[in-house]
Amino acid sequence: MQFKRHRRLRQTENLRSMVRETHLRTEDFIYPLFIVEGEKKKNEVSSMPGVFQISIDLLKEELDEIVDLGIKSVILFGVPEEKDDCGSGAYHDHGIVQEATREIKKHYPNLIVVADTCLCEYTDHGHCGLVENGEVLNDASLELLVKTAISQAEAGADIIAPSNMMDGFVVAIRKGLDEAGYEYIPLMSYAVKYSSAFYGPFRDAANSAPQFGDRKTYQMDPANRMEALREAESDMEEGADFLIVKPALSYLDIIRDVKNNFNAPVVAYNVSGEYSLVKAAALNGWVDEKAITMEMLTSIKRAGADLIITYFAKDVARWLKE
Ligand code: PBG
């Protein structure tokens, strides 16, 4: 039998680009922003070179750059000065994310604002829900998440992204938003969120590490695959418009499973630790940063992600323009 010459289609760059199956576009990216309370603050996160905690008065400059690069959406995380046991900063009318949203909408009404809906940045214990006797309460936390989502929508957020992993958060927030007149605000649910060591640098950036214990009673066990389908299924039934899988790189199989089994846009969260590993190696001159980043993000899309939340968004947007 004549063997097959696969190399025929690999001979030149033009030929390779004709048969390329996966393409990155700047529109695919959602760029995370850490908004810090106070003024004139632009603090680089030590474990995330190139990522800053930015105060609202300096936000415009950052937005100009983002919009100029062609990025269409940002996801907001708040870094408040004060925290309490019920995370009241998360649902305060003038909370940090609410005010940042208003600021963004003032300058760039078309830039899509995704609001991360969680309590861990606002609670003194650092957990994503209310805590009683050392336990993270499910149903009681839902009420606060609903309040948070509504206040974010009131401030002008375009998409609500609940990340807290309490059971029933999608239906609770959907109902709350609908009753408040926000039936057209989509829910981008962190449907499949693992309890991952890759979130370490984010917790520096958002100052949100749990002060006791860990998140294993609400985030998923990295060993589980079938459970991801159950999580995604219930979120679809409850009314999610997008499904997030998080982290991305160690979970490409899960991204593919979710893509194959559910008919909704799939969002992969290329998390902080995935960013930091590359940046650290690149700063040491050990890897080719551009090549490795493009390969990683392409593989996330190839696995089935329609959109990618990534700290690399600005870098990649720049490279795609070149
Ligand atoms: C909040 C939240 C976390 C991340 C996004 N939303 C942290 C966590 O669950 O501990 C992590 C994102 C990243 O690592 O880039 N619950």
Side-chain angles (χ1 to χ4, degrees), residues 201-228:
F202 173 94
R203 293 176 188 173
D204 296 339
N207 186 18
S208 65
Q211 298 303 301
F212 69 89
D214 52 43
R215 303 208 203 288
K216 290 182 183 165
T217 67
Y218 44 107
Q219 298 181 347
M220 288 173 55
D221 182 338
N224 292 355
R225 184 174 181 187
M226 299 312 292
E227 188 184 358

Side-chain angles (χ1 to χ4, degrees), residues 118 120 163 193 199 202-203 215 219 246 271-272 311:
C118 197
C120 62
S163 67
K193 178 172 176 179
Y199 307 152
F202 173 94
R203 293 176 188 173
R215 303 208 203 288
Q219 298 181 347
K246 176 184 173 188
V271 300
S272 57
Y311 305 96

Side-chain angles (χ1 to χ4, degrees), residues 36-236:
V36 65
E37 230 163 321
E39 276 173 27
K40 305 240 173 321
K41 289 191 184 157
K42 190 170 176 182
N43 313 326
E44 189 164 33
V45 180
S46 57
S47 52
M48 300 180 75
V51 171
F52 297 83
Q53 296 176 327
I54 301 173
S55 57
I56 291 180
D57 57 320
L58 298 186
L59 195 52
K60 169 78 168 47
E61 205 177 306
E62 178 77 8
L63 297 172
D64 291 344
E65 188 188 2
I66 290 168
V67 170
D68 191 50
L69 284 167
I71 294 168
K72 307 282 187 234
S73 65
V74 293
I75 181 164
L76 303 186
F77 298 97
V79 188
E81 250 158 33
E82 279 170 34
K83 305 182 186 229
D84 57 26
D85 62 351
C86 56
S88 60
Y91 41 88
H92 194 285
D93 282 342
H94 299 285
I96 183 82
V97 162
Q98 289 79 355
E99 289 301 313
T101 302
R102 290 188 185 98
E103 177 73 7
I104 294 173
K105 288 293 164 184
K106 192 165 84 193
H107 301 293
Y108 292 107
N110 296 328
L111 184 66
I112 301 275
V113 173
V114 183
D116 183 270
T117 305
C118 197
L119 302 180
C120 62
E121 292 119 72
Y122 307 91
T123 50
D124 49 17
H125 45 70
H127 278 287
C128 303
L130 285 172
V131 170
E132 204 176 86
N133 303 325
E135 245 180 73
V136 180
L137 302 178
N138 194 86
D139 300 19
S141 301
L142 293 179
E143 273 171 54
L144 302 183
L145 294 166
V146 172
K147 275 168 78 167
T148 303
I150 293 173
S151 76
Q152 290 168 335
E154 271 168 2
D158 299 285
I159 297 177
I160 297 299
S163 67
N164 47 85
M165 289 299 278
M166 296 301 117
D167 287 326
F169 69 62
V170 175
V171 68
I173 293 174
R174 182 71 275 158
K175 189 163 164 278
L177 286 174
D178 289 354
E179 284 169 7
Y182 297 109
E183 52 273 89
Y184 279 97
I185 300 281
L187 289 186
M188 184 182 280
S189 172
Y190 285 76
V192 182
K193 178 172 176 179
Y194 288 91
S195 176
S196 171
F198 284 95
Y199 307 152
F202 173 94
R203 293 176 188 173
D204 296 339
N207 186 18
S208 65
Q211 298 303 301
F212 69 89
D214 52 43
R215 303 208 203 288
K216 290 182 183 165
T217 67
Y218 44 107
Q219 298 181 347
M220 288 173 55
D221 182 338
N224 292 355
R225 184 174 181 187
M226 299 312 292
E227 188 184 358
L229 296 177
R230 296 199 293 276
E231 278 282 2
E233 186 177 21
S234 61
D235 281 20
M236 286 299 285

